[in-house]
Amino acid sequence: MESLPPELSPTGYLAEVRRVLEHIEKTQADAVVAAGALIADSIAAEGVLQAFGTGHSEALAMEVSGRAGGFVPSNKLALRDLILFGGEPVDLLDDPKVERREGLAKRIYELAPVEPQDVFVIASNSGGNGVIVEMAEHVTSLGHKLIAITSLEHTSRITSRHSSGKVLKDFADVVLDNGAPYGDAVLPLPSFGANVCGISSVGNAVLAQMVIAESVRLLAERGVEAPMYLSANATGSDGHNDALEARYAGRIRRSAS
């Protein structure tokens, strides 16, 4: 029997969240294990987790870098790095479609404190914008392992905006499917003619934390103490965090931006 469309309501959205979680649990276990191993290998080799996303997918980079319960050796790469570290004018980001451009990702990479043993996580729901595909192509050409977080449903239905004709998943060592539908939004609004309420960020965050859990588990299994952040808002955490950050001095960026 054909299922009914989701209800446009808070509980309808929660039902869609449960659907995404069930999808991840049933289909992504092997990919999560493989991604966790790549990160564990990198951290054990004194590598850094380099995370990149544009648009709303930048939230994924924030989810895995510089936060409580996450790896100290982690960096959030972003389009604004071209301004903060590369001297580009602020109005570069006035173009809301800047993520579609080619020629920016290599510059972002060159500005970052990257070493060969670093592993990359790139998130993009569509997987087809120029800067995302260029970053994926560039880091893998240099030998970095790449974990992609994307919507397989969405990316399978688009035409890449990159000159290669490829999408993010085509370059990845491991692909994680966030379970988002084509268009990302999940609740029908007939008067709008399309759905509302995006869900990809939910799947991205859950997958990211599952992968971190697996990588920490693997490090512990190998007898390696994972370099993890304590909450900066917990008493006594500064000494712990400062000592670990000093260990990675020059390799990680920490700012309010």
Side-chain angles (χ1 to χ4, degrees):
M1 186 173 67
E2 188 173 337
S3 61
L4 296 174
E7 176 188 347
L8 178 58
S9 68
T11 56
Y13 185 79
L14 285 176
E16 287 301 294
V17 169
R18 285 191 289 271
R19 180 192 61 77
V20 164
L21 294 179
E22 184 176 354
H23 167 81
I24 289 172
E25 183 177 17
K26 289 184 175 179
T27 69
Q28 299 304 294
D30 290 345
V32 165
V33 169
L38 292 182
I39 294 176
D41 289 345
S42 175
I43 298 297
E46 294 296 307
V48 169
L49 173 59
Q50 306 283 356
F52 181 62
T54 61
H56 69 269
S57 293
E58 186 180 338
L60 181 278
M62 297 175 69
E63 184 71 22
V64 300
S65 62
R67 66 159 298 163
F71 285 107
V72 173
S74 57
N75 278 322
K76 174 174 65 69
L77 308 184
L79 285 165
R80 71 176 64 83
D81 293 351
L82 296 167
I83 297 166
L84 294 174
F85 306 107
E88 295 292 335
V90 174
D91 61 10
L92 173 73
L93 299 183
D94 286 347
D95 179 4
K97 298 178 181 179
V98 67
E99 65 181 339
R100 299 182 181 182
R101 296 188 200 174
E102 293 185 44
L104 299 179
K106 290 181 182 179
R107 177 68 172 144
I108 294 169
Y109 178 94
E110 290 166 356
L111 290 168
V114 181
E115 293 193 3
Q117 69 271 35
D118 294 353
V119 61
F120 276 74
V121 177
I122 300 178
S124 172
N125 200 54
S126 70
N129 283 318
V131 71
I132 288 291
V133 180
E134 181 185 294
M135 183 67 83
E137 181 181 50
H138 187 60
V139 302
T140 53
S141 73
L142 295 175
H144 296 288
K145 296 298 183 181
L146 171 61
I147 300 161
I149 304 182
T150 192
S151 163
L152 290 183
E153 180 178 339
H154 192 121
T155 200
S156 68
R157 294 174 58 180
I158 67 163
T159 299
S160 173
R161 292 190 171 107
H162 189 264
S163 57
S164 68
K166 296 183 177 181
V167 294
L168 170 61
K169 71 179 182 66
D170 295 331
F171 296 95
D173 296 281
V174 178
V175 177
L176 295 167
D177 178 21
N178 64 24
Y182 178 76
D184 197 355
V186 291
L187 300 183
L189 180 60
S191 62
F192 180 51
N195 288 353
V196 297
C197 298
I199 204 165
S200 63
S201 296
V202 175
N204 288 355
V206 169
L207 285 166
Q209 295 300 339
M210 290 174 69
V211 170
I212 288 172
E214 175 63 10
S215 58
V216 173
R217 185 192 70 80
L218 287 172
L219 288 169
E221 195 175 75
R222 301 175 192 180
V224 178
E225 184 175 351
M228 312 300 290
Y229 272 114
L230 298 176
S231 171
N233 298 308
T235 302
S237 62
D238 283 354
H240 169 91
N241 293 341
D242 290 349
L244 284 174
E245 287 183 344
R247 173 177 161 188
Y248 294 95
R251 302 287 317 287
I252 59 176
R253 297 168 173 164
R254 294 294 175 260
S255 69
S257 63

